[in-house]
Amino acid sequence: MLPSLQESVDGDERELESSEEGGGSAEERRPERYSNSYYCLYGYQGYSSSEQAVGSDDGSPSSATSETPSAEDFSIPEFRVGCYYCLLQQEKLLETATVESNISPPEYVTCFLGGSEKGLELFRLELDIYVQGLKTNLDSEKSNLETYIKPYLRSWFEDSVCPIQRVVQLFQEKLAFLLHAALSYTPVEVKNSDERIKKDIHRFLSAASLQGLIQEGTMTSLCIAMTEEHHKSVVIDCSGPQPQFHNAGSNKFCDDWMQAFLNGAEGGNPFPFRQILENFKLKAIQDTNNLKRFIRQAEMNHYALFKCFVFLKNCGSGDVLLKIVKVEQAEMPEAKNVITVLEEFMRETAVA
C-alpha cells in the first residue's frame, strides 16, 4: 500500500498531545471517552496485471507491489470505539485515465474512529454526507494538505456527531417547537445567527424529518399544503442571549419527546440523541399508520370512527397526523368524508 498525503493524515496526535500534557495519574489525564475521536486518510494506487507480473531478474517479486502498513500507522485507544470507513474514487481521474496507462487512478480510504462501539452506526447518513464533502475537493486540494484536508478531517466528530446535542443544549424546552416544525413539514428560517448554528439547526430538522419513511409524493404535497396553510415560516431569531421563536407551534407529543431529549443530555454523551430522534420518528410513523387503519375501518363502521376520536385525543399529535393522512388519502372519497368529520372533532376539541 502506498502512503498518501504525507504518509497519511492521522488525527491521533491531537489526542495524544493533550493526554501527555501536565502531571497527575494516567486516569486523571485520560480524555473524556465521548470527546475522543480519531481520523486517517490512506491512498493507494493499483497497477495493471501486466506491470504486476514483472519481477526482478532473480525471480523475486517487483518492488512495485503494494506494501502493508505497519501497526504504527494506526491509533489504538484503550477502549472499544465505533469505526466508519469509506472508499473514495475520483471520478475525474477515472474519466481521463487512458487504456494505455499501466497505473490505475489513485483511490483513498477514509477512516473515522470514535464514540461507543455501535454509536457511529446511527450517524451513517451524516458521515456519508461529510465524506462526500471531502471527495468533491480531494483531488484539487491534495497538494494543500495542511490548510484544507487535515482541518476538514479533524472536524468530522464535531460536524457530524455533535450537531444534535448542540441543538438540544441551545434550545432546551424550546426544542419542542423545532420537533413540531420537523413533524409538520413547516419551513424554518434562521435569522441573526452564525453559520455553525444555522447548519446545526438545519441538520437537526433534516434528521428529524420523516423523509424516506413516507411516500415522496406525499411529502411534496404535505410541504406545499403546510406552507399554504400557515403562510409563514417558523422564524428563529438568534440575535439575543436566547433564541426566540415566531409563528411556532407545538403539541403534547413534541413536548413529551422534548423532555426525553433533555433527560438524555445529563450524561454528556452525544450518541443517545440520535437514537432518541430515531425513536421519535418511529413513533410518529406508527401513530400515522394506526390512524390510517382506523380511518379505513371507519368508512363502514361507526365504532371505528369513535376509535379515531379517542386515538386523536390521546396520541398528542392528532393535529399533525390528521394533516398527513388527509394529504395521503386526498383522492379517496370515502376516507375524505371520515377525515372531514375528524377535522370538525379536532376543531371542537381545540375550542373546548
Side-chain angles (χ1 to χ4, degrees):
M1 178 178 291
L2 298 180
S4 70
L5 301 182
Q6 299 179 5
E7 295 297 327
S8 73
V9 181
D10 197 344
D12 47 22
E13 68 270 10
R14 176 166 55 96
E15 286 77 10
L16 293 177
E17 290 172 0
S18 64
S19 65
E20 292 172 358
E21 294 175 355
S25 64
E27 183 66 26
E28 292 173 343
R29 290 184 278 108
R30 180 177 177 176
E32 289 292 330
R33 174 172 182 176
Y34 299 113
S35 63
N36 229 16
S37 61
Y38 308 85
Y39 63 87
C40 61
L41 179 67
Y42 285 95
Y44 63 92
Q45 196 163 43
Y47 295 85
S48 66
S49 57
S50 60
E51 180 161 341
Q52 289 182 351
V54 177
S56 60
D57 294 337
D58 59 1
S60 62
S62 169
S63 60
T65 56
S66 61
E67 299 176 359
T68 302
S70 66
E72 296 177 356
D73 291 334
F74 298 92
S75 167
I76 308 298
E78 297 177 359
F79 46 84
R80 291 183 176 181
V81 295
C83 177
Y84 169 94
Y85 60 91
C86 182
L87 171 65
L88 302 178
Q89 294 178 310
Q90 302 300 98
E91 280 82 358
K92 287 185 178 180
L93 293 177
L94 289 173
E95 293 173 0
T96 57
T98 61
V99 178
E100 293 79 10
S101 175
N102 289 325
I103 302 177
S104 301
E107 297 178 339
Y108 302 92
V109 174
T110 303
C111 181
F112 297 139
L113 300 176
S116 58
E117 186 176 2
K118 295 184 178 181
L120 288 189
E121 294 179 5
L122 298 171
F123 291 88
R124 176 63 181 269
L125 179 60
E126 287 87 346
L127 291 171
D128 285 346
I129 295 174
Y130 194 78
V131 168
Q132 287 303 311
L134 173 66
K135 180 178 179 180
T136 55
N137 295 282
L138 185 59
D139 183 49
S140 61
E141 300 289 348
K142 62 183 180 182
S143 61
N144 207 0
L145 171 65
E146 294 298 328
T147 59
Y148 179 78
I149 301 297
K150 198 168 184 178
Y152 188 90
L153 289 171
R154 184 182 295 121
S155 301
W156 76 269
F157 192 85
E158 286 293 318
D159 290 348
S160 299
V161 175
C162 295
I164 297 176
Q165 181 185 42
R166 288 196 295 265
V167 168
V168 173
Q169 293 172 342
L170 175 64
F171 291 114
Q172 297 292 313
E173 288 81 6
K174 295 178 181 178
L175 185 71
F177 297 142
L178 210 59
L179 291 172
H180 188 269
L183 190 63
S184 62
Y185 307 93
T186 304
V188 174
E189 182 180 355
V190 184
K191 293 184 175 180
N192 303 313
S193 74
D194 59 40
E195 196 62 28
R196 182 178 188 179
I197 292 177
K198 186 177 295 187
K199 286 183 178 180
D200 283 353
I201 292 173
H202 287 297
R203 284 169 177 164
F204 183 93
L205 290 169
S206 177
S209 168
L210 300 184
Q211 185 172 6
L213 299 179
I214 63 175
Q215 296 178 1
E216 184 176 347
T218 299
M219 278 206 55
T220 303
S221 300
L222 188 58
C223 290
I224 295 173
M226 295 302 292
T227 302
E228 292 176 347
E229 178 178 337
H230 289 279
H231 301 293
K232 294 181 179 179
S233 302
V234 172
V235 177
I236 306 176
D237 187 355
C238 299
S239 58
Q242 294 294 327
Q244 298 297 319
F245 281 77
H246 304 282
N247 310 321
S250 186
N251 55 32
K252 186 179 184 300
F253 182 83
C254 294
D255 291 341
D256 290 343
W257 281 97
M258 171 271 295
Q259 193 59 54
F261 278 98
L262 296 186
N263 293 340
E266 297 175 358
N269 178 1
F271 291 96
F273 294 108
R274 193 66 174 84
Q275 185 62 65
I276 294 173
L277 205 54
E278 290 301 312
N279 294 342
F280 164 81
K281 296 193 295 183
L282 178 61
K283 179 58 177 171
I285 288 296
Q286 289 175 340
D287 287 350
T288 302
N289 291 335
N290 285 333
L291 179 58
K292 289 192 290 187
R293 178 165 54 85
F294 291 147
I295 289 176
R296 286 194 298 268
Q297 295 172 355
E299 294 170 5
M300 298 176 292
N301 187 323
H302 289 292
Y303 178 69
L305 180 61
F306 174 73
K307 290 173 66 176
C308 285
F309 292 154
V310 174
F311 178 80
L312 287 173
K313 182 179 179 180
N314 296 332
C315 71
S317 60
D319 57 333
V320 176
L321 299 184
L322 195 56
K323 290 182 176 68
I324 295 175
V325 173
K326 182 179 180 179
V327 170
E328 285 190 340
Q329 305 190 8
E331 303 300 324
M332 301 176 63
E334 300 83 357
K336 186 176 181 180
N337 294 333
V338 174
I339 291 173
T340 300
V341 175
L342 294 176
E343 286 180 320
E344 183 64 28
F345 166 77
M346 292 298 292
R347 283 193 293 268
E348 294 175 354
T349 304
V351 172

